[in-house]
Amino acid sequence: MGKRKEKISSDIAWSTSDKISVRGLDLPNEILGHMNLGDLAFLQLTGRKATPEESRVFNAIVITLVEHGITPSALAARMTYMGAPESLQAAVAAGLCGLGTVFVGSMEGASKMLYEALPQGKLGTGVDLDALAVETVEKFRARKAIVPGLGHPVHKPVDPRTPRLFQIAAENGKSGEYIALIQKIQAVAEDKSGKMLPINATGAIGAICCEFGFPWKIVRGFGVMARAIGLVGHILEESENPISYEIWQRAEEEILETSDPGAHKAR
C-alpha cells in the first residue's frame, strides 16, 4: 500500500475551460490530426511521442491483437450482448475478462519469462543466450508448465504473424537479444519435448515489448486495448447477423440429446 500524499498529482492529462492537455501536448492542436490511435497509446504509456520506427513496430503489435475470430472472448461478448443489448460496454467488458494466460495474456508471461532470464541490466554484456534458453526451458519442464509464447492449436509449423512481426522489428531497430532469446527457447523446447512449438503471435509480441523495455506487468494491457476494438466489431455484427441465439439453442438441443434418459433408450 502506498503512503499518503500531501497533494494528489498525475502527469497524464488535465483540462481547463479552454485547454485540454494530454502528456504535455495540446489535444486539439498537437494530437488531433497528427497522431493515429497507436501513436496516442504509445504517448499515453510512455509520456513521449514515438519515433517513426517505434510507431511502425508498436502499431504492428496492437493491430495484430485486434482480431482473432470467434474466440471465447468474442463469444462471451456476443452472448452478453444478446442478453443485455442495452449495455454494449458490459458486453465488451465480458469479452475482455477472458484475456488471461491462455488467450492474449500469454504475452505478459512471455515478457516476464524473458526479463527473468535476461534482466535489462545484463543486455549487451555477452551473456550466453544458448545457456539461458536451456535453463529457462528446464525450469518450466521441472514444474510441468507450458512455456509462454510457444505453440498454437492451428498455426503449425509457423504462426504466420510471427515472422512478419520479427521482420518489422528488425527493419525498425527493435530486434535484439530478447527476440534472439525467445527463438533459442523455442528451439530448445521443441528439442526437449519432441513437439512442434512455434513462437506464436503473443510470444513474438512479448519479446518485442521487452525490446522496447515495457514493464511486463503492463504488456497484457496492449491486448486489452486492442481487443476492445475487435469486440466492438463483433458486437456490431451480432446486432446485424446474430449467432448467439443459435449457439444457445444448439447447446440446449444437443445437451438434451445426450443427457435425456429417453434419448439414451432411443439409441
Side-chain angles (χ1 to χ4, degrees):
M1 183 179 293
K3 296 181 180 179
R4 292 293 301 269
K5 292 187 173 184
E6 190 173 326
K7 294 287 184 180
I8 294 173
S9 63
S10 172
D11 295 325
I12 293 178
W14 54 266
S15 60
T16 63
S17 60
D18 62 348
K19 188 174 178 66
I20 302 170
S21 175
V22 177
R23 288 294 194 181
L25 298 179
D26 182 74
L27 177 65
N29 298 309
E30 295 180 285
I31 295 177
L32 299 183
H34 299 282
M35 287 188 181
N36 58 45
L37 185 59
D39 288 349
L40 179 60
F42 188 92
L43 172 70
Q44 177 83 344
L45 291 161
T46 66
R48 64 176 180 83
K49 290 182 179 180
T51 65
E53 294 77 17
E54 288 172 331
S55 173
R56 284 190 284 273
V57 180
F58 188 79
N59 273 281
I61 286 173
V62 292
I63 288 171
T64 300
L65 295 166
V66 169
E67 186 50 54
H68 283 67
I70 306 297
T71 56
S73 60
L75 286 170
R78 285 172 176 261
M79 298 296 281
T80 302
Y81 183 76
M82 180 187 71
E86 72 282 359
S87 188
L88 180 146
Q89 70 275 18
V92 173
L96 294 178
C97 285
L99 306 187
T101 54
V102 177
F103 295 99
V104 178
S106 55
M107 55 198 281
E108 174 187 296
S111 291
K112 187 172 186 289
M113 171 186 73
L114 293 170
Y115 278 141
E116 288 176 348
L118 181 60
Q120 287 180 290
K122 291 188 177 180
L123 290 172
T125 60
V127 177
D128 186 344
L129 297 183
D130 291 297
L132 284 182
V134 172
E135 180 184 344
T136 299
V137 172
E138 289 297 349
K139 285 180 179 178
F140 281 91
R141 286 176 62 80
R143 60 178 189 265
K144 297 181 179 179
I146 295 172
V147 180
L150 301 187
H152 197 281
V154 177
H155 302 308
K156 297 176 183 179
V158 176
D159 183 330
R161 299 164 295 184
T162 296
R164 179 58 177 148
L165 284 166
F166 285 164
Q167 178 187 9
I168 294 169
E171 290 172 349
N172 291 280
K174 287 296 178 184
S175 183
E177 290 178 273
Y178 289 114
I179 289 178
L181 179 56
I182 199 168
Q183 290 172 328
K184 291 179 181 294
I185 287 171
Q186 182 230 357
V188 173
E190 285 195 335
D191 180 62
K192 296 284 186 181
S193 68
K195 298 178 182 177
M196 202 174 288
L197 297 171
I199 301 172
N200 56 44
T202 53
I205 289 171
I208 295 170
C209 285
C210 289
E211 300 288 359
F212 272 98
F214 292 128
W216 67 263
K217 62 186 178 182
I218 202 65
V219 167
R220 188 182 304 192
F222 303 158
V224 172
M225 64 188 185
R227 188 55 60 86
I229 296 171
L231 292 177
V232 171
H234 276 275
I235 291 167
L236 176 59
E237 184 180 69
E238 183 67 24
S239 71
E240 298 171 342
N241 179 28
I243 63 173
S244 294
Y245 182 81
E246 184 69 20
I247 293 170
W248 170 36
Q249 291 303 302
R250 286 190 189 182
E252 289 279 359
E253 291 165 2
E254 291 175 22
I255 288 170
L256 186 62
E257 286 178 8
T258 58
S259 303
D260 177 47
H264 285 286
K265 289 178 182 178
R267 290 201 300 270

